[in-house]
Amino acid sequence: MLLLLGAFALAPLALPWLVSRLGARAFYLAAVLPIAAFIHTAAQTTDILAGNIPFESYDWIPPLGIELSMRMDTLSWLLALIVTGVGALVMLYCRWYFRDKYEGLGQFSAVLLAFAGAMYGLVLTDDLVVLVMFWEVTSVLSYLLIGYYHRRAGSRRAALQALLVTTLGGLVMLIGVVLMVVAAGTSSISTILADPPTGTIVDAALVLLLVGALSKSAIFPFHFWLPGAMAAPTPVSAYLHAAAMVKAGIYLLARLAPAFADAGPWRPIVIGLGVFTMLLGGIQALRETDLKRVLAFGTVSQLGFLTVVLGFGTRDAALAGLALLLSHALFKSALFLVVGVIDRQLSTRDIDELSGVGRQAPVMATFSIIAVASMAGIPPTVGFVAKEGVFTALMYEAFGGSAWGWVAFIGSAIGSALTMAYGIRFVWGAFATKKDADRRPLPVTAWPDPPLGFLGAPVVLAGLTVVAGIAAPFLDTVFTPYADTAPESTPEVAPPAETYHLALWHGIEPALLVSLITLVLGVGIFWLTRATGWDTGPRMLRFTAADAYNLALKGVDRLSVLTTTFTQRGSLPVYVGTIFVVLVAAEATALVAGGNWIANLEPWQTPMQLVVAPLMIAAGIFAVRATKRYTGVVLVSVTGIGMVLLFATSGAPDLALTQVLVETVTLVAFALVLRRLPARMGEHNASVWPIARAVLGIGVGVTMALVAIVATGARVAEPISDRFPQLAYEVGHGRNVVNVALVDLRGWDTMGELSVLILAATGVASLVFVTHRSGSLPAATQPLPKTKSRTTRRRPLVETTDGVRLQTSDNSDSPRAWLLGGQRMRPENRSILLEVIVRVLFHTIIVVSIYLLFAGHNLPGGGFAGGLVAGMALVMRYIAGGRYELGVAAPSDAGTLLGVGMTIAVACAIVPLFFGSAPLTSTYFEADVPVLGHVEFVTSTLFDIGVYLVVIGLVLDVLRSLGAEVDRQAQELRSKGVSI
């Protein structure tokens, strides 16, 4: 089971490539894995019948007691068969449904297969926390599947609606899971059910778990997302909304009901909302004209039925509930796939546009009628077997004195009549020959015969409803072990004298009579709706759950606008001032409330501090008084250079190297920005409230000074950093304590810092480019002006990364192009001397950066310092040759570097998990290599490479955003005659 789960995780990665080569035929290969999983599940039947429950486990997060455990009991066995069997048939069906369609098909196939794997894991996992993870994965993947037609606004809205509703329910359920795990002392589902906890906390946890289950299975008030999700391709509707996703909530109810159905809040919520949903969905299905929406509201109704039966929590109801679960998966998937055939062949699903299709497609019509018969509960289908069992179980509880038994029985009977009615409406709407208002037959809709394989899946599924009905005794044998886990009756009803068994024929009994009555009533309801025109009338309710959802979204939007209007005033001083005021208030409060202050101060540690500190103080004062922006930036950088001297004389060469590089890059970034700002501060917008600013600045400085003073004496335990040298050598296998701490001992901190760097780069690019970051270096395709010479020859084009093409010069009369981009610079901005220097030093600097990267584990350096050095090399190329030279020098797109670097870092965290180690655990290899001698390699170096690439990507993004793009904008303004 774990092996198949891993295959479901990896196989989707190959599908986009297969689809690009094979087209829709790749779905044949996609179906192989679900078929294999189906065969494996079916092969476990003998063991499950014998009581030998297959179980596999892997300790995933041992400190939290979370296991990747798979347990296949009767309920999981049935759901696994449905998920994999129907999934395989839907995959085969997709081969014909998507014939001659290619856009987005690779991603769609991969997501659909991944969804099947997520559902396979969800129904088999024995860990409640892991179940929540699979739960949310299905929500995200269903969002992608429902929104397949992403160019349609309706599809995007439907996908977002489904995501928000199911994810919100999943988050509520997560809180319930935490409470349940705490109350039970374990996250093992089988252990919790074997000895269910009780109490107020457990009741609260059950309510929260029910919110998640009901939202997933489209039970009122969360039902509205499912009809909206019909914007998805029909195979998605057939799989997700009939056999898979909506069954997740039903599965959770069925899993918990035997142990918790007698809890106080359970039956009022489950039965009350289930019955209401069954009636609501059935009524609305009678008013729809889109065949798919008829089935959608029918599905809502059937899910309410399943909720009532499987959530009732008695032995006979549980037995009938599993038969009903199987029946629904078969007939509803078949009917959705039939609608897909009609839609694909005729490009319509509207009842008013279909007439006479049944006579032209007798096979499809016949098997559709069989599927509807199973839905309505007509023998010899499995739907009849299930419905008789349901009525028997609920009637016993009702007549035995259970109030909720009466609610469930009456609601199920009325709902079954509605099911018959909208089942007839589906058959009539899809296949009958319609008549106009004068009772004359409408023109027959021309029917092009579909490929034979297109009908294979719905025919098989509909046929299985009859096979399963005939095999009712076998189903009874298989389903009984699950049913026996539930109590024989509710607490207020005496246990039955005999246990119920599934069978196709029980003789003349009350349940059979009730079933017949519901069928007759269903026929009458359909006739009445057609005779009165009620099915075409206006909307019954002016306000529905969907309206409540839309109103809530509008409220959130308006609240966000008001909040943004109030807080985002467009003034940077206001933002910074707000942050500083909160900082001073919070820290001052903490300092005052902290009690006695213990300071451990020394006047100085090294003589260099006596020299550097006054210079830094003076630079800070002059920076505040500076009237020119660039002067202020340079003076602020003096304080940074002072820190370099302090680090260098305090035994921290790594920090000194990094600090000087950061200061240099920061100064360059400021210089790039200042080009578009007035030279003098206050030239356009005068500074206001100077006294208030001074007071706030002094307050921040004093507060931070006091925090630093107090912090020196606040430590009461031995710091872990005292052991860093030993840990760096013994654990990280390196002598550079700073670098080893960054990539190994404190790797999680570095991971967070990388995320911040990527967010910063993305933020800068989004502010400058607004819509996208591509196109910052336009192609220089126009030829350069030719030099008047008899030896002028055509200059070859050199294509750089990002498609930039520059023209070299092999003209003997033109000056040598040391840098290709220099030819595109304005003459007054070009320096041949600078170009020569950069040309000579660039590759050397890159080599030095690589040296720092690999030497950093034992010597000063590391990925961060090496990345900054490489970034400085790119800065040199840009300054000397302009934006075109940056395009020549850039090794790749900035986004690619950032993504690859972060991917490597994340991989270093994930890979150790597969070997049973903690994330970011490193190891080392050593060997004697000819010529090189003894070589040691630490895997944390790979993490450092990720840091190296992220830093280069950050610098490159800043250069392209604040440098190249600003240059382009300036050039456009000059071309329009605007002075800069």
Side-chain angles (χ1 to χ4, degrees):
M1 292 182 285
L2 287 175
L3 185 61
L4 285 169
L5 185 63
F8 273 115
L10 297 177
L13 301 177
L15 277 179
W17 179 82
L18 290 173
V19 169
S20 67
R21 296 295 186 273
L22 303 175
R25 290 173 297 174
F27 281 104
Y28 288 141
L29 298 178
V32 171
L33 184 55
I35 291 173
F38 179 85
I39 294 173
H40 174 267
T41 304
Q44 310 303 313
T45 305
T46 305
D47 289 338
I48 294 172
L49 290 176
N52 301 322
I53 306 300
F55 182 81
E56 298 175 7
S57 180
Y58 174 76
D59 287 338
W60 186 24
I61 309 177
L64 299 180
I66 298 176
E67 297 179 346
L68 197 60
S69 54
M70 311 285 278
R71 186 175 184 272
M72 189 182 291
D73 60 1
T74 301
L75 180 61
S76 296
W77 171 82
L78 174 61
L79 266 297
L81 286 177
I82 292 174
V83 167
T84 56
V86 176
L89 290 173
V90 169
M91 291 287 183
L92 297 174
Y93 176 88
C94 285
R95 182 266 176 269
W96 301 103
Y97 185 86
F98 290 105
R99 64 187 189 277
D100 304 325
K101 293 184 179 181
Y102 300 101
E103 183 179 0
L105 197 57
Q107 175 184 322
F108 174 86
S109 61
V111 175
L112 185 61
L113 183 59
F115 181 89
M119 280 299 304
Y120 180 76
L122 188 151
V123 301
L124 288 177
T125 183
D126 189 47
D127 193 285
L128 203 53
V129 176
V130 177
L131 183 143
V132 174
M133 295 180 182
F134 283 122
W135 191 281
E136 294 302 329
V137 169
T138 59
S139 294
V140 174
L141 295 178
S142 68
Y143 166 77
L144 298 175
L145 292 170
I146 296 171
Y148 170 71
Y149 299 117
H150 57 86
R151 299 183 186 276
R152 305 176 185 174
S155 294
R156 297 195 300 270
R157 286 194 299 268
L160 181 61
Q161 184 182 74
L163 179 68
L164 291 178
V165 173
T166 57
T167 302
L168 178 62
L171 292 176
V172 174
M173 188 180 78
L174 176 61
I175 301 174
V177 166
V178 172
L179 294 177
M180 182 65 72
V181 169
V182 171
T186 179
S187 60
S188 171
I189 297 175
S190 58
T191 304
I192 293 174
L193 297 180
D195 185 17
T198 57
T200 305
I201 293 179
V202 174
D203 289 345
L206 287 175
V207 172
L208 298 175
L209 289 170
L210 287 176
V211 170
L214 299 180
S215 65
K216 198 76 163 182
S217 291
I219 303 300
F220 180 87
F222 309 107
H223 64 287
F224 57 89
W225 72 261
L226 195 149
M230 294 302 105
T234 302
V236 173
S237 303
Y239 191 39
L240 272 66
H241 309 138
M245 179 177 172
V246 294
K247 291 296 193 299
I250 301 300
Y251 164 75
L252 186 60
L253 291 175
R255 179 61 72 192
L256 298 178
F260 294 105
D262 291 336
W266 184 275
R267 287 195 176 93
I269 295 175
V270 171
I271 298 176
L273 294 180
V275 167
F276 186 80
T277 303
M278 186 180 185
L279 300 180
L280 179 66
I283 292 172
Q284 188 59 37
L286 289 169
R287 300 173 61 84
E288 295 293 334
T289 58
D290 185 331
L291 287 175
K292 205 171 178 184
R293 288 181 63 84
V294 171
L295 293 180
F297 280 102
T299 300
V300 170
S301 178
Q302 290 292 307
L303 290 172
F305 194 17
L306 284 166
T307 298
V308 171
V309 177
L310 282 170
F312 199 85
T314 61
R315 187 245 177 223
D316 292 348
L319 182 64
L322 285 194
L324 186 64
L325 182 66
L326 174 62
S327 172
H328 179 263
L330 295 176
F331 69 68
K332 194 52 66 73
S333 297
L335 292 176
F336 268 119
L337 295 180
V338 166
V339 172
V341 175
I342 296 174
D343 190 19
R344 187 72 168 82
Q345 297 302 109
L346 301 177
S347 299
T348 182
R349 306 187 300 257
D350 196 321
I351 288 176
D352 298 332
E353 298 176 4
L354 299 173
S355 181
V357 174
R359 292 184 178 180
Q360 303 176 75
V363 174
M364 185 173 68
T366 300
F367 281 92
S368 297
I369 293 172
I370 292 173
V372 170
S374 182
M375 181 171 66
I378 298 175
T381 64
V382 69
F384 170 75
V385 174
K387 194 166 72 169
E388 270 216 325
V390 169
F391 286 152
T392 299
L394 297 183
M395 287 174 64
Y396 179 82
E397 291 294 324
F399 288 102
S402 171
W404 288 113
W406 278 109
V407 173
F409 170 62
I410 295 174
S412 298
I414 298 174
S416 296
L418 292 173
T419 301
M420 180 64 181
Y422 65 71
I424 298 174
R425 179 176 177 82
F426 175 85
V427 175
W428 167 80
F431 302 109
T433 300
K434 313 295 194 309
K435 295 181 180 180
D436 59 16
D438 298 327
R439 309 298 297 173
R440 291 176 299 182
L442 293 175
V444 174
T445 305
W447 174 256
D449 288 332
L452 186 61
F454 203 6
L455 293 174
V459 166
V460 170
L461 289 168
L464 286 175
T465 62
V466 177
V467 174
I470 298 173
F474 171 75
L475 296 181
D476 179 79
T477 302
V478 179
F479 294 164
T480 295
Y482 165 76
D484 289 342
T485 62
E488 294 186 353
S489 64
T490 54
E492 60 269 24
V493 177
E498 296 181 0
T499 57
Y500 184 80
H501 294 281
L502 297 176
L504 187 59
W505 179 251
H506 283 282
I508 305 299
E509 58 175 359
L512 178 63
L513 296 178
V514 173
S515 183
L516 291 175
I517 292 173
T518 60
L519 295 178
V520 174
L521 285 176
V523 175
I525 291 172
F526 172 74
W527 176 84
L528 192 62
T529 59
R530 291 297 302 159
T532 60
W534 179 84
D535 60 335
T536 59
R539 180 175 173 178
M540 292 189 300
L541 300 177
R542 293 187 177 183
F543 191 80
T544 64
D547 295 324
Y549 165 82
N550 293 327
L551 187 63
L553 284 188
K554 290 180 180 179
V556 172
D557 290 340
R558 291 177 180 177
L559 180 61
S560 64
V561 171
L562 290 174
T563 304
T564 303
T565 303
F566 178 76
T567 59
Q568 301 294 314
R569 310 297 299 180
S571 172
L572 184 59
V574 171
Y575 300 155
V576 177
T578 302
I579 294 172
F580 282 166
V581 167
V582 173
L583 172 67
V584 172
E587 296 298 331
T589 302
L591 289 172
V592 172
N596 297 327
W597 296 356
I598 301 175
N600 183 16
L601 298 178
E602 296 180 10
W604 63 84
Q605 284 82 28
T606 64
M608 181 61 72
Q609 295 175 352
L610 296 176
V611 178
V612 174
L615 295 177
M616 295 173 65
I617 294 172
I621 295 174
F622 286 129
V624 173
R625 301 295 300 167
T627 58
K628 291 186 176 182
R629 299 180 189 275
Y630 190 75
T631 304
V633 170
V634 172
L635 289 171
V636 170
S637 295
V638 171
T639 61
I641 299 301
M643 291 301 301
V644 173
L645 296 175
L646 295 180
F647 286 145
T649 56
S650 299
D654 262 90
L655 297 180
L657 175 62
T658 303
Q659 180 70 25
V660 70
L661 293 171
V662 168
E663 285 298 328
T664 305
V665 172
T666 304
L667 183 60
V668 170
F670 270 113
L672 295 175
V673 173
L674 294 179
R675 294 181 301 166
R676 298 298 299 272
L677 296 177
R680 292 185 175 274
M681 289 184 282
E683 185 173 326
H684 292 316
N685 299 293
S687 299
V688 296
W689 300 340
I691 297 178
R693 294 187 182 204
V695 171
L696 181 58
I698 293 172
V700 172
V702 171
T703 300
M704 294 309 300
L706 290 176
V707 169
I709 291 172
V710 173
T712 59
R715 186 180 296 278
V716 295
E718 179 184 355
I720 186 63
S721 57
D722 290 345
R723 296 188 56 207
F724 267 21
Q726 176 186 355
L727 293 173
Y729 186 75
E730 295 179 357
V731 177
H733 307 287
R735 295 182 176 85
N736 185 345
V737 178
V738 173
N739 185 257
V740 174
L742 289 175
V743 301
D744 197 322
L745 303 180
R746 301 291 295 272
W748 281 117
D749 294 349
T750 306
M751 185 82 75
E753 292 163 4
L754 291 181
S755 303
V756 172
L757 287 178
I758 292 177
L759 289 175
T762 304
V764 171
S766 63
L767 289 174
V768 175
F769 295 118
V770 181
T771 57
H772 55 83
R773 68 170 71 203
S774 62
S776 59
L777 301 176
T781 57
Q782 298 299 323
L784 291 172
K786 295 184 178 181
T787 305
K788 295 182 179 180
S789 172
R790 290 173 297 176
T791 58
T792 299
R793 291 175 292 175
R794 182 176 179 85
R795 305 168 196 169
L797 290 174
V798 175
E799 186 166 350
T800 69
T801 57
D802 300 330
V804 176
R805 291 192 293 166
L806 294 174
Q807 206 154 19
T808 62
S809 173
D810 59 356
N811 187 350
S812 59
D813 292 342
S814 63
R816 178 175 177 80
W818 288 91
L819 296 178
L820 295 177
Q823 301 171 87
R824 291 286 175 179
M825 294 187 68
R826 301 177 64 172
E828 62 270 23
N829 294 335
R830 188 178 182 187
S831 170
I832 299 299
L833 179 61
L834 184 58
E835 290 185 23
V836 173
I837 294 174
V838 171
R839 176 67 176 269
V840 172
L841 293 182
F842 176 78
H843 298 90
T844 304
I845 295 174
I846 294 296
V847 172
V848 171
S849 75
I850 296 174
Y851 167 78
L852 290 174
L853 166 65
F854 290 103
H857 213 66
N858 294 289
L859 298 172
F864 195 81
L868 287 173
V869 170
M872 286 305 303
L874 295 175
V875 170
M876 292 169 55
R877 293 286 289 268
Y878 167 72
I879 293 174
R883 59 191 179 115
Y884 295 106
E885 185 61 29
L886 182 61
V888 176
S892 179
D893 178 71
T896 301
L897 290 173
L898 292 169
V900 171
M902 193 64 191
T903 300
I904 293 174
V906 172
C908 290
I910 294 176
V911 169
L913 296 175
F914 295 99
F915 296 93
S917 301
L920 289 175
T921 299
S922 64
T923 185
Y924 74 102
F925 306 93
E926 55 181 341
D928 292 322
V929 180
V931 180
L932 298 179
H934 187 73
V935 176
E936 295 184 1
F937 179 79
V938 185
T939 55
S940 58
T941 303
L942 299 175
F943 185 88
D944 222 7
I945 292 174
V947 175
Y948 178 81
L949 294 177
V950 168
V951 173
I952 295 177
L954 172 65
V955 176
L956 181 58
D957 221 7
V958 170
L959 289 175
R960 290 186 170 185
S961 303
L962 304 179
E965 178 64 11
V966 171
D967 290 344
R968 185 193 65 79
Q969 295 173 4
Q971 183 178 355
E972 285 187 357
L973 293 176
R974 281 195 297 267
S975 65
K976 297 176 182 179
V978 179
S979 60
I980 301 177

